[in-house]
Amino acid sequence: MALKRSLLVPIGLTTFLLGIDAAVSLGLVSSMVAFLHSYGGGPFPVAPPNGAPFLIAGEPANLVTDQGHTANAAGGTALILVGFGGVLALWLERRSRKKWDRSSPVFYVWAVIVLLSFLLTMVALIYTFVETSMTGGQTIDLGVAEANPAPTRYPDGRWTPENWYAALLELPLVNPNNRRVISGNLGMMRGWRWNLVALFVLGFVLLVLVGLEVWRVRRRDTQRVSMAEVLGDPAK
């Protein structure tokens, strides 16, 4: 069934929600980065049940963070180009339709940006969950950690920040405050990973709405041209 009514209002609402979610994503990732460069660097005292206390560096030797950079890029694109850019595109689109009864070229450019932003979010979502899954399920070997005390970083394995600090919490940390701070920041790390799902869903909904609106406008314009040709042809 053909769409007769404009979808600019639901597009605007979805764009607003996407921008808010993108801002949340950027905030959570930035919080993780700040933690890694400050408190998360450690070292943290550990008291093995059958050994002498020692210090463990706050980050492992093989810490992977590219998934965080990708998520940051997806959030930034969704906020700046889709969110703020959408405000301009939708305003110009309304103005163009009201004055000249046609679409603004900026709206079509923005529609392409919405598509590219959705693809970037999809890549970030898949990459992050795959990387987390591939590096998950590991534990920190106290023997290896004790043999490589801080400032030497734990040498074994390959870790995402989320998996590393989850494993760190399984150790007998001496300071309860360390456990509290690490646990709080671990929650934010898990938060930005799962927030990518919401960003993906909102991006998909926006892409569908924009695609339907572009299709509706193009179909309407085609019908107008066809009708003009019929009315303008005396033989018809």
Side-chain angles (χ1 to χ4, degrees):
M1 186 175 67
L3 292 171
K4 295 183 179 180
R5 299 185 62 180
S6 170
L7 296 174
L8 291 185
V9 171
I11 287 174
L13 177 60
T14 307
T15 301
F16 175 72
L17 294 175
L18 180 68
I20 291 178
D21 192 61
V24 170
S25 179
L26 288 172
L28 291 173
V29 174
S30 297
S31 176
M32 181 190 74
V33 172
F35 173 72
L36 291 176
H37 287 88
S38 56
Y39 194 96
F44 303 113
V46 178
N50 298 315
F54 67 94
L55 293 176
I56 185 170
E59 295 180 13
N62 301 309
L63 185 69
V64 291
T65 57
D66 287 343
Q67 72 282 358
H69 297 316
T70 308
N72 219 28
T77 302
L79 177 62
I80 305 299
L81 297 182
V82 177
F84 294 153
V87 173
L88 176 62
L90 292 173
W91 178 76
L92 290 175
E93 181 69 5
R94 282 184 173 276
R95 182 170 176 269
S96 182
R97 291 185 186 184
K98 186 175 181 180
K99 279 194 169 187
W100 301 289
D101 194 26
R102 59 182 173 82
S103 284
S104 166
V106 176
F107 182 74
Y108 291 104
V109 173
W110 180 70
V112 174
I113 292 174
V114 169
L115 171 61
L116 296 177
S117 175
F118 169 74
L119 294 176
L120 178 57
T121 300
M122 182 172 63
V123 169
L125 174 67
I126 295 172
Y127 179 31
T128 299
F129 274 81
V130 168
E131 188 71 80
T132 302
S133 177
M134 290 178 61
T135 58
Q138 303 180 86
T139 58
I140 299 173
D141 188 322
L142 279 175
V144 174
E146 192 172 6
N148 296 273
T152 304
R153 296 181 176 184
Y154 186 76
D156 290 357
R158 187 169 173 273
W159 307 81
T160 62
E162 179 185 334
N163 288 333
W164 167 254
Y165 289 105
L168 200 61
L169 286 176
E170 295 179 2
L171 300 182
L173 299 176
V174 174
N175 191 339
N177 187 60
N178 288 342
R179 183 173 297 278
R180 180 185 60 81
V181 174
I182 293 172
S183 180
N185 281 273
L186 178 60
M188 287 190 284
M189 293 175 199
R190 288 171 174 160
W192 73 255
R193 177 166 64 89
W194 284 103
N195 187 69
L196 284 173
V197 177
L199 198 66
F200 173 83
V201 172
L202 287 171
F204 178 73
V205 172
L206 180 61
L207 179 63
V208 170
L209 290 173
V210 171
L212 287 174
E213 181 63 8
V214 169
W215 175 80
R216 186 190 72 83
V217 172
R218 294 299 295 270
R219 190 172 187 275
R220 182 201 63 181
D221 292 344
T222 301
Q223 289 174 342
R224 284 181 177 178
V225 171
S226 300
M227 185 61 68
E229 290 176 350
V230 170
L231 295 176
D233 189 347
K236 299 182 179 179

